[in-house]
Amino acid sequence: MTTSPHPSHAASTRPRRTLAIVTFAICIIATFLGAGPAAVAETSGWERDAGGWTPGGSYFGNFIAADGDRAVCALDGAKFGPGHPDADGETASTYSDPYPVSSLRPQRYDGRLAPQVSGEVIHELGYVMAVFADTSDLREAVAADLATIRLAGAELDWQGFEADRIAAGASARADAMIAEARENAGPYRADDLSLDTDTGEVNGIGVRDADGDWLPGYAWQASLSGPATWEDGSTTLEGTTQARPGSRDLAVTGNGEVTVRLTVTGLPDALHRMDPLDGDASSQRLFPAGRRQSVESSVSATAIVGFHPGISTVVAQERVDLGDELVDEVTVTGEGWATVGEIGGQAEGQGEEQGAGEGVPVSFEGTLYGPYDRPQPEQLSVPADQPVAGTTSLTVTGPGTYPSEAFVASEPGFYTWVWAMRRESQSSEVRQYLSEDVTTPFFERPETATVPHPAMASSQVDPADQLILPGDSVRDTVVITGFPDDHPEFDGLDGSWSGDEPMVTHRLYGPFEQRPNEETHPVDLPNAQVAGQVRTPAVNGEVSVLFEGEAAPSSVGHYVIVTSFDGDARVDPWQTSPYDEAEMLQVAQVPTVTTQAQEVAAPGEPFGDVAQVSDPDGVIGADDGWEWSVEFAAYAAGDLAPLDLDSDGHVVAERPEVAAVCEAEPVAGSTVRIEGGGQVESEPVTVSTPGNVFWVERLVRERGDRREVVGEGVCGLPNESTAVSAPAEPVEPEAPVEDRTSAEPAPEQPTPPAPELAETGSMLGPQESWRLTAVAALLVLLGLMSLSWQERLHHGTRRAGPAQHARHRG
């Protein structure tokens, strides 16, 4: 092979384009030639294979092509077979594709024509060519060639002898081949299939020959289409034919046409011939060897399966308010639902999975039973004489979920659905698809809805308890209605319904800084503080609820009582409003009292105590039955001093002797009724003996036999003490101070003795004594200052004289 230098890109562009155009044109032409009608295909060149020559120049055996196909000379009178040594180019080397031969006029070796053959002989010849001629064995090839001559009636006397000379026993073997061909040759058929969809059996699997005998040893395949499978769940089975008809079982999975298709492969083919393509008219034609065929058959039958629809239902709502609708959700199931098309017109109810006309329409009847005061035990069938709230029907064409007709819940109680599919109630067209009746249980839990009793309560806090003090009890009168008459006697049903909730809860919420109001001061009830809780039986009627002891409110503020019921199977949960004015109360600030006793009094002189009552929330005098009063009590303390107070007015230290004073009988006392806060004066008290008197005031309320001391003073407080003492002696005025610089000092005068004071103390009170002492001290101080000033002037004058004189002299 020679090569040339690579051309430049510019120089090569035009040749390359020309080459591409030519190549494209060739591809287009080749495409059109290949797409044309199939011409007689050529086979590759042939040559002799297994066989041999007779002394007279006859060839017995087969030929083989380069691709391995074998053939035998046809009995059509042509002179030269493939590879004939004396053909001089007249023998063909390529042949047409095989094509079937239905008849043949064989030509003997001597040139005479034998009688025309057709029918069974053609199939027998095909059997020999298919079963025996495709061989590399010498005797088999010679015998097969001789068998075709004999079967066609073209044998000459010497041919059997000569065949044996080539391969001993070839003649006898040819006879055996012919016998087998006549026994087993076609035409073949596999059309004995039968299908029974009721029993699920397929019979007649196999193949028969021309005589109707079942042929063993051939591979078969059976496939299913339609609503059916073989026993192993597949739709295709394989096997080998037997000398008898075979059978297999199938399972029908639905309704419709089931088809079985059987194919038997590897059967001997009928006789075919190949024509020479490159030889002259004397070129020998060939019978192809080893050809096999398949036969097919099918059988169909309509399957009608009696399916068993399933039904499961659940109420749309387990709890339905009085006056609302009762609806059932019906779920229909059914494997193998008939899908043979719409029967009897368009179905009424279309579910989630099926459309109109997609299956057999089946009607279900629904009955709503109720109302019942209590749920009933579940039963398979409906007892006689049950109350019926409504009946309806539902027609479906396949699996899906369907809503039922709605009925109004006009009365409280329990309602239960029962659904039934009765085969005899269906049309005759539909009935054949159904196997048996279907009914749901009576009072099945998912099929039962309760319309709870709408119980409620009204209540009123006792007016006397609407304004109280911390720790006071609160009484609430509650009227409950709406419970079933036998509530809470229902104990429930095992596994389905719980029993009645036995108690109603009353909660005292608070304290709140402001009175609850839905708009201005809303209450976050779930998070609100619970001051007290009381539970009472969940029954109709009036009940008195008392919040006392630990359940009583103890802090100042506003409160509200809320009554609630948690609910059960028969009664809805409910609670009263936290904004019900009738359920509100206030715990008032405890009234206080402060007093100021008269500070001093002379023996026998009337004196008293003054109390200042503070009542910021107006609890005193409220219309609650309580009577309020201030009690004053005066106790003789003698010379026992009051308690000491610090700068904040608190007692520095308690003294038992002081407390003991107020544990004795008072020297006097009085009670003053009050209707509110303000100033209250005790009745006057007179004490003849000097000494301190300690006052104790008590703020008291009374109702019936109850008496409570709301506030009480402390014994011995300074502001709660009165000093009873004799009046002080008058004080003599002081003599004027003489000027000692100009007058002689006055002679000393004897001081008159002071009058004795009573042991009970001065008649002056503590404040008056302090004032007099201060005035006297001020006068003495002023006198001393005056004397000092005069003396300083006097000495100054005397010192000034000599100085002036000295200055004058100097």
Side-chain angles (χ1 to χ4, degrees):
M1 177 177 182
T2 59
T3 60
S4 60
H6 295 288
S8 67
H9 179 72
S12 63
T13 302
R14 181 172 300 174
R16 287 182 180 177
R17 289 179 179 174
T18 303
L19 178 60
I21 294 171
V22 172
T23 302
F24 177 74
I26 292 173
C27 292
I28 292 298
I29 295 171
T31 300
F32 280 103
L33 290 176
V40 179
E42 297 182 0
T43 58
S44 58
W46 290 77
E47 63 182 18
R48 285 175 172 79
D49 188 24
W53 293 89
T54 67
S58 297
Y59 178 78
F60 284 94
N62 56 27
F63 303 91
I64 187 168
D67 57 6
D69 291 335
R70 290 186 175 89
V72 174
C73 287
L75 304 173
D76 58 0
K79 181 177 181 182
F80 298 112
H84 195 284
D86 301 324
D88 295 331
E90 296 175 353
T91 299
S93 61
T94 58
Y95 285 80
S96 68
D97 285 338
Y99 61 91
V101 176
S102 60
S103 64
L104 179 67
R105 184 73 181 269
Q107 186 177 24
R108 294 185 178 94
Y109 187 79
D110 60 7
R112 292 179 298 168
L113 295 175
Q116 186 168 349
V117 296
S118 61
E120 293 180 1
V121 177
I122 294 297
H123 289 280
E124 291 166 0
L125 285 169
Y127 187 94
V128 171
M129 294 306 303
V131 176
F132 305 118
D134 186 14
T135 180
S136 61
D137 183 81
L138 175 63
R139 193 186 72 163
E140 286 294 295
V142 171
D145 192 357
L146 181 59
T148 60
I149 296 171
R150 285 179 178 173
L151 274 172
E155 183 183 9
L156 299 177
D157 293 339
W158 57 269
Q159 288 179 314
F161 174 78
E162 293 296 336
D164 284 338
R165 289 182 62 181
I166 298 172
S171 179
R173 178 62 183 148
D175 289 338
M177 291 178 180
I178 292 171
E180 183 178 334
R182 288 173 175 169
E183 179 69 22
N184 299 323
Y188 302 105
R189 56 188 177 86
D191 54 0
D192 289 281
L193 280 177
S194 64
L195 170 62
D196 189 335
T197 55
D198 292 334
T199 61
E201 292 183 354
V202 176
N203 292 303
I205 297 177
V207 64
R208 290 186 173 192
D209 61 16
D211 296 330
D213 297 327
W214 294 95
L215 299 178
Y218 294 100
W220 61 264
Q221 184 184 77
S223 60
L224 284 174
S225 61
T229 64
W230 298 112
E231 279 190 318
D232 62 358
S234 69
T235 57
T236 302
L237 282 184
E238 294 181 349
T240 303
T241 62
Q242 305 295 320
R244 60 185 179 277
S247 65
R248 291 292 188 273
D249 293 333
L250 57 76
V252 174
T253 59
N255 296 277
E257 186 175 74
V258 177
T259 299
V260 180
R261 289 181 174 84
L262 176 66
T263 302
V264 181
T265 61
L267 291 167
D269 205 347
L271 188 63
H272 280 63
R273 192 170 71 183
M274 301 164 58
D275 293 330
L277 298 180
D278 59 351
D280 60 17
S282 62
S283 296
Q284 177 68 57
R285 293 180 176 84
L286 300 179
F287 292 142
R291 289 187 60 84
R292 298 284 175 168
Q293 66 173 319
S294 300
V295 294
E296 295 183 354
S297 66
S298 64
V299 62
S300 299
T302 300
I304 298 179
V305 179
F307 69 96
H308 185 192
I311 182 169
S312 62
T313 58
V314 59
V315 291
Q317 290 180 283
E318 185 176 309
R319 301 178 75 91
V320 178
D321 291 337
L322 190 65
D324 286 352
E325 293 182 338
L326 294 158
V327 179
D328 203 18
E329 297 290 341
V330 182
T331 299
V332 178
T333 60
E335 185 177 356
W337 194 289
T339 55
V340 297
E342 185 174 355
I343 298 177
Q346 183 169 339
E348 296 175 6
Q350 302 305 327
E352 298 172 354
E353 302 177 11
Q354 294 289 118
E358 293 184 357
V360 173
V362 180
S363 296
F364 293 84
E365 298 174 357
T367 304
L368 179 63
Y369 294 95
Y372 298 85
D373 291 336
R374 299 183 179 189
Q376 306 297 306
E378 183 178 321
Q379 303 176 52
L380 292 178
S381 59
V382 181
D385 302 327
Q386 298 302 304
V388 176
T391 59
T392 185
S393 64
L394 188 66
T395 300
V396 301
T397 58
T401 299
Y402 308 85
S404 72
E405 181 182 354
F407 296 95
V408 176
S410 58
E411 297 180 42
F414 291 85
Y415 295 82
T416 188
W417 287 91
V418 175
W419 288 88
M421 188 285 294
R422 295 179 176 85
R423 187 171 179 272
E424 293 303 318
S425 299
Q426 312 300 318
S427 68
S428 58
E429 294 173 303
V430 175
R431 197 178 305 144
Q432 61 182 327
Y433 295 99
L434 304 174
S435 57
E436 58 186 16
D437 294 348
V438 179
T439 304
T440 60
F442 172 71
F443 245 103
E444 190 177 15
R445 175 61 188 266
E447 276 297 86
T448 304
T450 175
V451 179
H453 290 253
M456 59 185 299
S458 60
S459 51
Q460 173 68 59
V461 174
D462 285 3
D465 297 338
Q466 292 179 350
L467 185 62
I468 59 175
L469 294 182
D472 283 355
S473 62
V474 177
R475 186 174 298 278
D476 192 24
T477 301
V478 183
V479 178
I480 299 175
T481 59
F483 280 112
D485 293 338
D486 60 347
H487 200 274
E489 298 174 5
F490 175 57
D491 295 329
L493 292 175
D494 291 341
S496 57
W497 300 97
S498 60
D500 290 342
E501 172 60 40
M503 306 299 285
V504 169
T505 303
H506 315 269
R507 292 184 178 91
L508 179 64
Y509 290 94
F512 304 104
E513 292 184 2
Q514 303 291 336
R515 192 176 181 88
N517 183 279
E518 190 169 8
E519 295 182 357
T520 59
H521 300 98
V523 174
D524 182 11
L525 206 59
N527 298 315
Q529 181 177 344
V530 178
Q533 177 174 302
V534 177
R535 303 190 76 197
T536 60
V539 296
N540 293 325
E542 182 177 295
V543 60
S544 182
V545 180
L546 184 63
F547 295 90
E548 61 180 350
E550 293 184 357
S554 59
S555 300
V556 173
H558 295 272
Y559 293 79
V560 63
I561 298 173
V562 175
T563 298
S564 63
F565 179 69
D566 292 339
D568 54 34
R570 302 201 292 164
V571 181
D572 260 341
W574 52 265
Q575 73 174 24
T576 59
S577 171
Y579 306 107
D580 186 355
E581 293 285 341
E583 285 294 270
M584 296 184 185
L585 60 114
Q586 181 182 356
V587 175
Q589 300 180 61
V590 179
T592 59
V593 59
T594 58
T595 57
Q596 178 64 58
Q598 184 175 328
E599 294 181 357
V600 295
E605 178 186 357
F607 63 92
D609 193 9
V610 177
Q612 184 66 40
V613 178
S614 175
D615 182 17
D617 292 327
V619 69
I620 300 175
D623 187 15
D624 55 7
W626 288 104
E627 294 183 353
W628 291 75
S629 60
V630 178
E631 296 179 354
F632 298 93
Y635 299 89
D639 58 358
L640 194 63
L643 297 172
D644 295 326
L645 304 179
D646 59 18
S647 60
D648 294 327
H650 300 143
V651 175
V652 175
E654 295 182 358
R655 295 171 15 219
E657 63 273 17
V658 172
V661 169
C662 299
E663 294 176 358
E665 288 294 323
V667 296
S670 60
T671 300
V672 180
R673 299 288 182 186
I674 60 175
E675 296 295 330
Q679 183 172 297
V680 182
E681 296 182 0
S682 70
E683 294 181 1
V685 175
T686 302
V687 177
S688 60
T689 303
N692 285 329
V693 174
F694 294 162
W695 289 89
V696 174
E697 82 290 348
R698 294 178 178 87
L699 182 61
V700 178
R701 65 174 181 171
E702 296 175 283
R703 185 166 66 182
D705 296 333
R706 293 181 59 185
R707 180 179 185 275
E708 296 180 5
V709 177
V710 177
E712 184 174 5
V714 178
C715 182
L717 292 178
N719 62 304
E720 282 291 272
S721 300
T722 300
V724 179
S725 59
E729 293 293 332
V731 180
E732 292 292 335
E734 294 183 1
V737 179
E738 295 183 0
D739 187 357
R740 295 183 180 180
T741 60
S742 59
E744 294 293 331
E748 295 182 0
Q749 298 294 326
T751 302
E756 295 183 0
L757 296 175
E759 293 181 359
T760 57
S762 173
M763 292 300 292
L764 295 175
Q767 294 182 359
E768 286 79 357
S769 298
W770 180 83
R771 291 171 180 168
L772 290 176
T773 302
V775 170
L778 181 61
L779 292 176
V780 172
L781 179 61
L782 291 174
L784 291 176
M785 292 176 62
S786 176
L787 289 176
S788 176
W789 178 255
Q790 290 179 6
E791 184 176 357
R792 181 179 298 179
L793 292 177
H794 176 71
H795 286 293
T797 303
R798 290 195 300 184
R799 285 194 299 267
Q804 293 173 356
H805 180 71
R807 288 193 297 267
H808 180 72
R809 286 189 309 175

